[in-house]
């Protein structure tokens, strides 16, 4: 067994949240190391990339968290793009939420933030939309980012150019504790060796797998299956967000279709006939002609969920151990604000009232009382 590196911000989990936090520290000249069990299982490579505070109908502190993150995202992405040289595909494309009747539309939590569309205008926004939908709300504030093909890679490259040390295939088996302090992590690496990796401050960002590393974290996986279709030239431009399915058009005509919400699937791998059928039914209910467009790819992943569907961000009872996990369906949206707050918290920078409230509402100890 060998010990390595001291004075490091040690990040466990190289998914979207881990990379976002690593980037924040690295660009502020910290020494950062990222331990990643399996890059390709990260939900960051799965998500549809919607930035959908309003279209998701978020409420209360999640709504404000989403809005504030959406405000940070343009500047955050500009930095990542400059540092990585990779365009992340950020687009304020607007998201259209269709409704069968006005009653449902008026009950929608974020109704007052949307622009009302009657059926004629709904058809103008989404040519070919199923005629079952008679009304719609257009959330022009919402948009998307190409997390799968661009943002994740851009973060990796930007981190790497800022000196972040990566270890792929590094499975953290346990945290090394001395009294109430973490010394680092015991890791089984890709070549089968067990090593102790040390860090001054340790941040746990293991997404849906977080509970495996810290047993009392109330995190469980919610599986989501996805597919993509290749649309013809000039197909939809806005995201179409139905009750069970959404269509997210990228610039190159690829349309990302999601997603199943399977809270009993545990970590069962793979697409299933039931899942793909459900997505196809969803396409038919939203944009029937798109059923004829070729399917390009099927994939799946695991959302990190908590009992109250809100993230867990901040300190733990162990003095130098922090967590940032449980972002469930909105981790892409929340990544900018999470990395910003985590950096300020760990560096003991002044937090404003709203940031302090987020840390209280999303604290780990809300589950321990
Ligand atoms: C189908 C689907 C669609 C989604 N769509 C959207 C969307 O449109 N908009 C949005 O905002 N969000 C969306 N999300 C949510 C978003 O993807 C997640 O909230 C976000 O990726 C969580 O990031 P994370 O870093 O916590 O977890 P992940 O990105 O999953 O990363 C966790 C990483 O930790 C690593 N790890 C685990 N255990 C260990 C260990 N013991 N040692 C070392 N490393 C470990 C894993 O290998 C993994 O790479 C979607 C998610 C899914 C599944």
């Amino acid at each position: 067994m060998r010990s390595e590196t001291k004075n490091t911000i040690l990040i466990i989990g190289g998914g979207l949240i881990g990379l976002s936090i690593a980037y924040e520290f690295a660009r502020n000249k910290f020494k950062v190391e990222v331990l990643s069990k399996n890059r390709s299982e990260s939900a960051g490579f799965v998500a549809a990339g919607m930035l959908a505070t309003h279209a998701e109908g978020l409420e209360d502190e999640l709504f404000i968290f989403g809005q504030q993150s959406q405000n940070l995202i343009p500047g955050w992405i500009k930095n990542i793009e400059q540092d990585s040289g990779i365009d992340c595909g950020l687009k304020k494309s607007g998201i259209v939420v269709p409704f069968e009747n006005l009653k449902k539309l008026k009950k929608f939590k974020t109704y007052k933030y949307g622009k009302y569309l009657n059926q004629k205008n709904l058809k103008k926004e989404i040519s070919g939309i199923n005629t079952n939908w008679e009304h719609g709300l257009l959330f022009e504030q919402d948009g998307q980012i190409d997390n799968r093909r661009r943002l994740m890679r851009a973060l990796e490259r930007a981190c790497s150019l800022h000196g972040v040390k990566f270890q792929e295939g590094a499975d953290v088996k346990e945290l090394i504790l001395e009294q109430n302090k973490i010394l680092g992590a015991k890791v089984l690496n890709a070549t089968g060796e067990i090593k102790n990796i040390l860090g001054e401050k340790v941040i746990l960002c293991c997404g849906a797998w977080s509970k495996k590393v810290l047993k009392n974290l109330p995190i469980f996986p919610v599986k989501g299956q996805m597919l993509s279709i290749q649309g013809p030239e000039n197909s939809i431009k806005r995201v179409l967000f139905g009750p069970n399915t959404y269509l997210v058009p990228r610039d190159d005509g690829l349309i990302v279709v999601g997603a199943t919400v399977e809270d009993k699937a545990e970590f069962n791998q793979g697409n299933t006939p039931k899942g793909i059928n459900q997505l196809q039914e969803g396409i038919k209910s939203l944009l029937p002609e798109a059923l004829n467009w070729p399917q390009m790819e099927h994939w799946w992943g695991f959302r990190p969920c908590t009992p109250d569907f809100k993230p867990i961000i901040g300190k733990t009872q162990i003095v130098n151990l922090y967590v940032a996990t449980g972002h469930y369906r909105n981790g892409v949206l929340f990544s900018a604000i999470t990395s910003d707050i985590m950096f300020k918290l760990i560096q003991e920078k002044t937090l404003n009232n709203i940031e302090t409230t987020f840390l209280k509402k999303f604290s780990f100890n809300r589950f321990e009382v």
Side-chain angles (χ1 to χ4, degrees), residues 200-262:
E200 219 181 3
K201 308 241 161 118
V202 179
I203 313 172
L204 191 118
C205 309
C206 292
W209 299 266
S210 298
K211 194 180 168 64
K212 295 191 180 183
V213 181
L214 197 60
K215 305 282 173 265
N216 55 345
L217 269 177
I219 299 280
F220 54 94
V222 175
K223 184 176 175 182
Q225 300 188 46
M226 312 267 292
L227 60 82
S228 64
I229 49 184
Q230 182 64 51
E233 237 179 300
N234 299 320
S235 69
I236 55 171
K237 296 278 177 282
R238 303 230 191 244
V239 175
L240 179 56
F241 190 95
N244 303 311
T245 309
Y246 48 75
L247 307 181
V248 184
R250 303 286 196 227
D251 279 340
D252 60 355
L254 196 75
I255 301 175
V256 172
V257 182
T260 63
V261 180
E262 303 169 52

Side-chain angles (χ1 to χ4, degrees), residues 15 17 37-38 41-44 49-50 170 172 328-333:
I17 299 298
K37 170 160 65 87
N38 182 354
E41 74 185 359
S42 156
M50 286 178 295
V172 170
Y328 189 40
R329 307 171 52 100
N330 288 296
V332 182
L333 169 66

Side-chain angles (χ1 to χ4, degrees), residues 176-196:
I176 307 164
L177 261 175
E178 194 176 82
Q179 289 169 344
N180 193 34
K181 200 165 182 260
I182 291 270
L183 300 181
K186 188 180 289 264
V187 171
L188 172 64
N189 74 15
T191 51
E193 298 155 293
I194 299 272
K195 285 190 175 181
N196 286 351

